[in-house]
């Protein structure tokens, strides 16, 4: 068919398959036409609306390949076309015929940006997605080591079989990270372990000569470097490795390297003193899992937990000064991974020995204890900003990450990044609504339905700083329904429909769900769920639902709010739900009893400033107290305990509780700790958080994945950092007597 004639087909009001032409051939011709006539591929009749019904994500598998996983509205065969330009060029057909598809793209070039789009047929029409893209510079998959290079035969004893390696891998928390192998086992295990997993394998050597022997051997075979290295044992850190392999006499010495999520493998029967919880993996090969992550504090939701307390019980070993924490790891991702600091992105998550961080339509998983990147995903529809007027778009438990995109929720394997399946919004919300709120409990996934095109996405220029006090920055995203799903099977358990519900106030404690509901039937007819203060607060109530059934427990009216209200948050503990709002140069708090909703107390306190986020802080509920700069309130009565606290703040970011201290931006602008006991501030030099919440205490660590890039107010480090309590060297760290910087002499 002549190209111009084919172009004429594309410009018809309906794109139909040419008679007798297969879908694959037709799609290939479409791409071929785009190569020579790029304008012909994008007429309005061909490209569907912004939301073409495809839910897609890209997972990097290795440095040159990626898996494309997508869900389509219509069942049937589907394909992906990709290339280095919008001319595309390469087509890969899915072998699936339903609505779920996945293909692997191979031979990709490192450091390049690829464009791709999806195609399927429905009723004889070719349906095309918009153009998407993924960035190979964000592909952090480690280089491969060929099985043909890896060998343990030169040591002449006990070849490590594939069956044994498979049994070992099943015991690991994840396949990435670091492994430490003692020198007498390194010859047999190091190479095959590096080839079988994504770990960096370190041979722990007794002395320099042993270390040089391994380095020279692996350098000669082309394996030495990122994936395989050798160090003297005294130079290998403590509490960081995902796997340690050693012989029985070295258990005590080698175990110090093991992280709280790690596994210890002993070659030979362990001695009785080393513990009795051992699993035999193979002939005289034993494994012991540390399994301490279940005991660690978890930050699995936007403000820690669905209770929104901005505190999860993590006290960082009692640290209340910056100098009492030390860098455990630093590195990627850097500033190029994310959006600039200003549009107030979702918070990171830290659960199950892993740290999850969002960037520019992408997410990454890192090992919590050593910072190694485990996996990364590019998801075109993931972006959400202006979180103070909305809610987080993801959450996590120890096994899964739940990420909202348009009208569905991706369920992602936390260990591998594999996109397992999706939960869809039920009728009547599945076509014209988006997934808003998301939380996970032991047995449920709780979500909400928001009218389409309501959620904030703009992230560029000053308007996307969302620091103002007018409707363009402060309009609240409101839901039409709250929906509960069975966590295991994905069935809808119940749904609570309403005129509108303010998403930033949705709070869950045990079997109670609290939120502000707007009572105005006319809101249901609107095309948007982005509501101004005038639309919300004339007739609003605090509602409590039973989490198990979705039935209303109680409803209490909310006092009328000012038209210049900046934010509205919900936070709760076992005894009360607290509604926090902000207007008229004051923070307003109103407490409702958890059992029957009766008002307990209310209190207004002054803002410290009316700009750079000072007027929109999310309070910290910790230890029976409410912290909102510069005040500390008694959480049971609302009375002021102290004012003028936290010292001088500078720049955006909302406060976070660390048990003994409050984390915030203070002094000259860096991330700072304000000691509750000492009443003074210390700071982390040149470390800048995002304009909302990007530094979190959990898992025995303090995590600050890079989210401050693009700031013009200082020379900030633009890398991700994990801190842990400082290990004593020659005794306990002394308290400083004045404000100082991390690492400064005390």
């Amino acid at each position: 068919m002549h190209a111009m004639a084919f172009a004429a087909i594309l410009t018809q009001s309906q794109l139909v398959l040419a008679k007798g032409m297969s879908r694959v051939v037709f799609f290939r011709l479409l791409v071929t036409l785009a190569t020579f006539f790029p304008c012909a591929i994008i007429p309005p009749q061909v490209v569907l609306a912004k939301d073409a019904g495809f839910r897609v994500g890209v997972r990097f598998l290795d440095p040159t390949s990626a898996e494309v996983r997508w869900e389509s509205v219509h069942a049937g065969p589907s394909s992906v076309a990709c290339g280095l330009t919008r001319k595309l060029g390469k087509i890969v057909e899915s072998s699936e015929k339903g609505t779920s598809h996945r293909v692997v793209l191979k031979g990709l070039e490192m450091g390049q940006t690829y464009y791709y789009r999806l195609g399927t047929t429905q009723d004889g029409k070719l349906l095309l997605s918009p153009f998407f893209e993924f960035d190979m510079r964000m592909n952090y998959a480690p280089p491969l080591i060929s099985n043909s290079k890896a060998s343990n035969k030169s040591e002449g004893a006990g070849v490590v079989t594939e069956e044994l390696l498979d049994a070992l891998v099943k015991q690991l928390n994840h396949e990435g990270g670091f492994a430490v192998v003692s020198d007498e086992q390194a010859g047999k295990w190091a190479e095959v372990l590096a080839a079988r997993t994504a770990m960096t394998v370190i041979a722990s050597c007794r002395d320099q000569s042993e270390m040089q022997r391994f380095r020279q051997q692996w350098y000669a075979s082309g394996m030495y470097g990122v994936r395989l290295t050798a160090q003297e044992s005294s130079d290998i850190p403590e509490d960081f490795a995902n796997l340690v392999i050693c012989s029985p006499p070295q258990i005590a010495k080698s175990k110090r390297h093991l992280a709280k999520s790690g596994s210890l493998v002993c070659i030979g029967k362990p001695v009785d003193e080393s513990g009795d919880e051992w699993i035999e993996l193979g002939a005289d090969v034993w494994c012991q899992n540390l399994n301490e992550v279940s005991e660690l504090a978890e930050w699995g939701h936007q403000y820690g937990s669905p209770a929104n307390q901005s505190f999860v019980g993590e006290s960082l070993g009692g640290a209340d000064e910056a100098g009492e924490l030390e860098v455990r790891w630093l590195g990627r991702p850097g500033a190029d991974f994310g959006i600039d600091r200003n549009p107030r992105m979702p918070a990171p998550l830290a659960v199950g020995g892993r740290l999850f961080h969002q960037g520019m339509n992408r997410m990454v998983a890192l090992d919590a204890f050593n910072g190694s990147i485990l996996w990364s995903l590019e998801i075109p529809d993931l972006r959400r900003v202006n979180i103070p007027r909305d809610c987080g778009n993801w959450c996590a438990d120890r096994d899964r990450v739940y990420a909202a995109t348009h009208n569905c929720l991706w369920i992602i394997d936390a260990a591998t990044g594999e996109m397992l399946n999706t939960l869809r919004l039920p009728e009547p919300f599945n076509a014209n609504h988006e997934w808003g709120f998301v939380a996970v409990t032991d047995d449920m996934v709780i979500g909400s339905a928001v009218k389409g095109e309501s959620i904030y996405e703009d992230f560029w220029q000053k308007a996307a700083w969302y620091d103002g006090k007018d409707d363009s920055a402060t309009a609240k995203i409101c839901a039409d329904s709250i929906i509960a799903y069975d966590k295991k099977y994905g069935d809808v358990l119940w749904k609570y429909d309403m005129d509108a519900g303010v998403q930033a106030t949705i709070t869950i404690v045990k079997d109670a769900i609290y939120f502000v509901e707007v009572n105005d039937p006319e809101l249901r007819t609107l095309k948007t769920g982005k509501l101004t203060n005038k639309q919300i607060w004339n007739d609003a109530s605090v509602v409590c639902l039973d989490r198990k059934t979705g039935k209303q427990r109680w409803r209490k009216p909310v006092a009328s709010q000012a038209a210049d209200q900046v934010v509205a948050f919900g936070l709760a503990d076992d005894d009360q739900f607290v509604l926090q709002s902000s207007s008229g140069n004051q923070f307003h708090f109103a407490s409702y009893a958890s059992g029957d909703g009766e008002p307990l107390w209310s209190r207004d306190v002054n803002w410290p400033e009316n700009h750079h986020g000072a007027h929109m802080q999310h309070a910290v509920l910790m230890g029976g107290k409410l912290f909102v700069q510069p005040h500390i309130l008694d959480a049971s009565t609302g009375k002021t305990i102290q004012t003028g606290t936290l010292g001088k703040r500078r720049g955006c970011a909302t406060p976070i509780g660390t048990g003994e201290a409050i984390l915030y931006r203070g002094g000259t602008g860096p991330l700072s700790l304000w000691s509750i006991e000492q009443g003074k501030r210390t700071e982390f030099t040149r470390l800048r958080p995002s304009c909302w919440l990007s530094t979190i205490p959990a898992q025995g660590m303090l995590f600050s994945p890079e989210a401050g890039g693009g700031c013009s107010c200082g020379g900030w480090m633009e890398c991700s950092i994990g801190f842990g309590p400082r290990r004593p060297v020659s005794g306990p760290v002394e308290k400083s007597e004045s404000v100082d910087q991390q690492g400064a002499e005390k």
Side-chain angles (χ1 to χ4, degrees):
M1 182 181 296
H2 192 274
M4 295 305 294
F6 189 56
I9 296 178
L10 296 180
T11 57
Q12 294 175 358
S13 61
Q14 291 184 336
L15 180 64
V16 297
L17 290 176
K19 185 176 181 180
M21 186 181 296
S22 73
R23 180 191 57 81
V24 176
V25 172
F26 188 77
F27 194 36
R28 189 175 300 279
L29 280 172
L30 180 66
V31 174
T32 302
L33 178 66
T35 302
F36 298 102
F37 301 94
C39 294
I41 198 171
I42 53 172
Q45 297 86 352
V46 177
V47 179
L48 303 182
K50 178 182 177 182
D51 177 13
F54 294 96
R55 304 290 171 259
V56 63
V58 176
R59 176 171 65 119
F60 297 115
L61 302 178
D62 60 52
T64 60
S65 67
E67 176 190 67
V68 184
R69 170 82 158 84
W70 72 96
E71 301 268 339
S72 57
V73 174
H74 306 291
S78 190
S79 301
V80 59
C82 73
L84 291 173
T85 69
R86 292 199 176 202
K87 297 178 181 179
L88 306 178
K90 182 177 183 179
I91 298 175
V92 182
E93 184 178 5
S94 169
S95 61
E96 305 295 328
K97 306 302 179 185
T99 59
S100 297
H101 303 272
R102 66 181 72 211
V103 302
V104 174
L105 304 178
K106 298 181 179 180
L108 302 173
E109 297 181 32
M110 293 185 289
Q112 297 293 328
T113 297
Y114 280 83
Y115 297 90
Y116 69 102
R117 71 190 315 182
L118 310 167
T120 189
T121 55
Q122 178 69 17
D123 299 328
K125 299 177 183 178
L126 179 62
L127 307 180
L128 296 175
S129 75
F131 282 99
F132 303 120
E133 61 183 70
F134 61 86
D135 189 345
M136 290 291 287
R137 292 173 299 174
M138 301 297 112
N139 181 354
Y140 302 115
L144 300 177
I145 288 183
S146 170
N147 278 315
S148 62
K149 285 187 176 182
S151 171
N152 55 33
K153 296 179 182 179
S154 60
E155 298 296 314
V159 174
V160 180
T161 65
E162 288 296 324
E163 292 76 15
L164 181 56
L165 285 170
D166 289 343
L168 171 57
V169 167
K170 289 179 181 178
Q171 299 298 319
L172 301 178
N173 196 39
H174 39 250
E175 290 193 34
F178 288 85
V180 175
V181 184
S182 60
D183 55 352
E184 85 280 9
Q185 299 298 334
K188 184 165 62 174
W189 281 89
E191 296 178 21
V192 293
L193 189 61
R196 174 62 180 80
T197 70
M199 290 182 173
T200 293
V201 181
I202 304 171
S204 176
C205 302
R206 289 165 291 183
D207 51 39
Q208 282 272 340
S209 61
E210 187 75 1
M211 179 181 71
Q212 291 301 328
R213 183 174 73 85
F214 281 117
R215 289 184 175 183
Q216 290 169 4
Q217 174 186 326
W218 292 331
Y219 184 81
S221 62
M223 291 186 290
Y224 181 75
V226 175
R227 298 292 316 287
L228 204 56
T229 186
Q231 299 288 340
E232 288 192 77
S233 59
S234 59
D235 292 333
I236 300 175
E238 298 179 4
D239 307 325
F240 90 106
N242 305 96
L243 173 65
V244 170
I245 299 178
C246 65
S247 302
Q250 295 185 314
I251 287 178
K253 177 182 177 181
S254 300
K255 198 170 184 177
R256 69 184 179 88
H257 302 303
L258 205 60
K260 296 177 178 64
S261 60
S263 300
L264 176 67
V265 169
C266 185
I267 312 303
K269 181 69 174 178
V271 295
D272 293 340
E273 292 78 12
S274 61
D276 57 1
E277 296 181 5
W278 291 88
I279 301 168
E280 188 170 12
L281 300 180
D284 220 19
V285 178
W286 301 79
C287 179
Q288 185 183 66
N289 292 314
L290 207 57
N291 287 334
E292 292 183 3
V293 291
S294 61
E295 304 168 10
L296 300 176
E298 300 176 341
W299 194 286
H301 294 76
Q302 173 63 35
Y303 301 107
S305 75
N308 297 333
Q309 296 176 0
S310 293
F311 174 64
V312 294
E314 178 57 67
S315 63
L316 301 175
D320 65 351
E321 293 186 9
E324 293 179 323
L325 299 174
E326 64 181 9
V327 174
R328 295 289 178 85
W329 57 262
L330 61 84
R332 299 177 300 181
D336 53 352
F337 177 82
I339 299 173
D340 281 357
R341 82 290 174 199
N342 60 294
R344 306 178 197 268
M345 295 270 291
L349 311 173
V351 184
R354 306 179 187 100
L355 170 66
F356 307 101
H357 181 46
Q358 271 193 58
M360 177 64 171
N361 298 353
R362 56 177 61 103
M363 68 171 71
V364 66
L366 298 88
D367 184 279
F369 308 115
N370 56 48
S372 59
I373 293 183
L374 305 175
W375 51 261
S376 58
L377 295 175
E378 303 266 305
I379 304 178
D381 301 323
L382 186 63
R383 184 169 73 249
R384 188 175 296 184
V385 296
N386 198 4
I387 296 301
R389 282 68 181 226
D390 196 354
C391 58
N393 63 342
W394 69 341
C395 63
D397 58 25
R398 292 172 203 161
D399 300 313
R400 302 285 185 266
V401 178
Y402 305 84
T405 65
H406 275 307
N407 63 350
C408 74
L409 186 78
W410 278 111
I411 301 177
I412 300 164
D413 187 287
T416 67
E418 181 182 358
M419 306 174 79
L420 301 173
N421 51 56
T422 58
L423 293 179
R424 291 269 180 170
L425 290 175
E427 293 282 0
F429 306 112
N430 62 334
N432 299 313
H433 282 68
E434 298 181 346
W435 193 297
F437 176 84
V438 59
V440 62
T441 68
D442 289 343
D443 57 348
M444 287 182 177
V445 175
I446 310 294
S448 69
V450 178
K451 292 183 178 71
E453 306 298 317
S454 298
I455 292 173
Y456 288 94
E457 293 184 344
D458 293 339
F459 61 91
W460 190 245
Q461 297 184 335
K462 187 174 181 178
W465 183 25
Y466 303 113
D467 194 62
K469 296 176 282 296
D470 58 359
D471 289 339
S472 63
T474 66
K476 316 299 187 295
I477 306 302
C478 296
D480 289 353
S481 183
I482 295 178
I483 305 151
Y485 296 79
D486 181 272
K487 182 177 176 180
K488 184 175 182 180
Y489 299 106
D491 299 329
V492 174
L493 300 176
W494 55 259
K495 143 171 105 70
Y496 180 87
D497 297 341
M498 52 193 164
D499 298 338
V502 183
Q503 294 205 129
T505 66
I506 301 176
T507 309
I508 304 175
V509 176
K510 295 182 178 177
D511 286 338
I513 301 178
Y514 309 97
F515 57 94
V516 170
E517 180 177 347
V518 186
N519 310 302
D520 183 355
E522 291 188 4
L523 297 177
R524 300 197 183 206
T525 65
L526 298 181
K527 293 183 178 180
T528 181
K530 186 181 293 182
L531 303 182
T532 64
N533 292 314
K534 292 180 180 179
Q535 294 171 301
I536 294 173
W537 301 108
N538 288 332
D539 187 4
S541 305
V542 172
V543 173
C544 177
L545 303 183
D546 185 283
R547 183 182 67 85
K548 294 289 188 181
T549 65
K551 303 297 184 183
Q552 188 178 123
R553 289 183 176 179
W554 51 259
R555 172 189 295 267
K556 297 294 179 180
V558 173
S560 180
Q561 301 281 323
D564 64 342
Q565 188 203 74
V566 180
V567 290
F569 300 122
L571 53 162
D573 56 24
D574 291 349
D575 301 319
Q576 64 180 330
F577 168 78
V578 178
L579 175 62
Q580 176 194 349
S581 58
S582 176
S583 63
N585 298 315
Q586 289 186 318
F587 296 111
H588 314 289
F589 296 92
S591 171
Y592 301 80
S594 59
D596 56 12
E598 287 300 311
L600 297 177
W601 56 265
S602 62
R603 185 68 200 280
D604 301 335
V605 292
N606 291 334
W607 296 342
E609 295 168 314
N610 64 356
H611 57 85
H612 282 78
H615 54 316
M616 64 172 73
Q617 300 171 56
H618 186 289
V620 177
L621 178 55
M622 180 176 71
K625 301 173 183 178
L626 279 165
F627 298 82
V628 59
Q629 193 182 32
H631 313 286
I632 304 176
L633 308 180
D634 187 310
S636 61
T637 65
K639 293 181 179 179
T640 299
I641 296 174
Q642 189 176 354
T643 192
T645 62
L646 301 186
K648 175 66 176 176
R649 73 181 302 280
R650 180 182 183 274
C652 302
T654 193
I656 300 298
T658 66
E660 306 298 324
I662 297 295
L663 187 73
Y664 77 115
R665 280 191 74 191
T668 58
L671 193 69
S672 300
L673 276 177
W674 185 82
S675 169
I676 296 172
E677 179 183 355
Q678 301 180 73
K680 70 185 182 83
R681 177 189 59 81
T682 53
E683 65 185 35
F684 298 87
T685 308
R686 296 183 61 197
L687 182 58
R688 187 208 195 282
S690 75
C691 284
W692 189 237
L693 199 171
S694 63
T695 302
I696 57 173
Q699 305 283 283
M701 301 272 290
L702 179 65
F703 302 109
S704 189
E706 164 53 33
C711 183
S712 60
C713 58
W716 309 110
M717 294 184 294
E718 295 186 349
C719 63
S720 299
I721 306 180
F723 297 92
R726 185 180 291 277
R727 302 181 181 96
V729 178
S730 57
V733 176
E734 295 180 0
K735 300 281 187 177
S736 62
E737 297 180 358
S738 60
V739 172
D740 71 280
Q741 299 178 341
Q742 187 204 18
E745 185 177 350
K746 299 199 172 187

